[in-house]
Amino acid sequence: MDFRYVRFYYEPSLQIDLDGTINEISQVFPNCIFEACGSFFEYRPDYQMTAERARISEIRQPFGHQSPGHQFFDLYGRSTALYDGFELQRLLAPAFPEESFIPIIFTDLLTCTFSEEDWRYHARALICGTPSVISTTGIVEAPAKPREFYLSILTQNVDSVKKKLSGRFIDYGDERMTKVAAGYVLQILFFFITNGDPFCEDISCRLHNAHWQEDLIRIQVENPAICTKHRLLANKFNHRLSTRESI
């Protein structure tokens, strides 16, 4: 699928430099037009309660078998609500009846997807589709932290463990979140370019689906690069857009 316009819905409280993110994306897709909008739920406040219908009450039951009522889950001392990412996307989709642009919603809602392999929900930073959703809470909580973190919190205070391992994972308010967000936006755009295949098997490519925080930092912050295969796909896409402009 070809596109030219990408619209971001973003809340300043999320502490991402959206201009910085857009600048990085523009280097890969110079012929696209990126528009920064405000919070989606301020733009469409009628969807605030709609989104709550995607809440998860039981982590080991698929969405169709959730018990009524809202549940909060403890994430290392933070009381957090979980949302079924695909259900949230389905509920928000009617707000985007047109296909004239790619809508991307940044949110602090923690999106999750259910796995039938271990029959439980897992946190996700990214839900691709219309709309695409990037969860800043998911950026922190979805990729696994270093193994030392999980061993240390068995006997030590979480805050002291985070201080000891500082820099080895993305945390709340982390300035590196801007570059990581750019990587997830790239995955969204390649999702549409490839008709549903946003990830790369090359572990050095920004489109690699990193499951560990240290891998995420390596490919998105320390050495952000796109492999030859996906660079060629981007070049072909850019050429098609430029050709249409010249007609």
Side-chain angles (χ1 to χ4, degrees), residues 39-236:
S39 165
F40 171 75
F41 292 113
E42 289 184 5
Y43 165 68
R44 290 298 302 267
D46 50 320
Y47 276 87
Q48 187 79 56
M49 292 305 298
T50 300
E52 291 302 298
R53 288 158 45 194
R55 286 276 294 271
I56 299 166
S57 58
E58 297 183 37
I59 200 170
R60 295 192 177 275
Q61 289 294 333
F63 192 78
H65 294 83
Q66 292 290 308
S67 301
H70 289 164
Q71 175 78 15
F72 287 90
F73 298 84
D74 180 73
L75 291 179
Y76 314 113
R78 296 174 65 97
S79 183
T80 306
L82 308 184
Y83 295 78
D84 184 293
F86 293 126
E87 181 65 13
L88 179 66
Q89 182 184 68
R90 185 189 71 79
L91 290 169
L92 302 184
F96 305 99
E98 304 176 16
E99 295 185 357
S100 58
F101 63 91
I102 303 297
I104 299 177
I105 298 174
F106 284 92
T107 180
D108 60 359
L109 302 182
L110 181 51
T111 50
C112 305
T113 59
F114 190 82
S115 171
E116 293 186 352
E117 292 184 2
D118 57 2
W119 209 252
R120 59 165 294 168
Y121 273 97
H122 295 271
R124 301 290 183 226
L126 176 65
I127 303 294
C128 292
T130 303
S132 293
V133 180
I134 296 177
S135 167
T136 55
T137 307
I139 291 175
V140 174
E141 303 295 353
K145 295 176 175 60
R147 288 183 174 86
E148 297 97 305
F149 174 86
Y150 302 103
L151 293 174
S152 297
I153 62 173
L154 296 175
T155 57
Q156 301 176 46
N157 177 272
V158 172
D159 290 336
S160 64
V161 174
K162 283 188 173 184
K163 185 176 181 180
K164 182 176 67 174
L165 300 177
S166 177
R168 295 180 61 186
F169 54 86
I170 303 296
D171 206 357
Y172 297 97
D174 197 314
E175 63 181 13
R176 297 173 296 177
M177 187 101 56
T178 294
K179 283 187 170 292
V180 173
Y184 283 120
V185 172
L186 285 173
Q187 291 176 5
I188 290 170
L189 299 186
F190 275 100
F191 172 86
F192 287 98
I193 290 172
T194 61
N195 294 317
D197 185 17
F199 302 125
C200 182
E201 295 182 358
D202 186 339
I203 61 173
S204 64
C205 179
R206 294 192 83 172
L207 302 177
H208 181 66
N209 186 18
H211 294 290
W212 290 87
Q213 285 277 346
E214 289 177 309
D215 290 336
L216 183 72
I217 292 169
R218 175 177 53 80
I219 63 175
Q220 303 297 357
V221 180
E222 296 174 348
N223 187 30
I226 297 177
C227 69
T228 301
K229 171 186 172 182
H230 284 97
R231 178 62 68 179
L232 289 173
L233 285 174
N235 290 343
K236 289 179 181 178

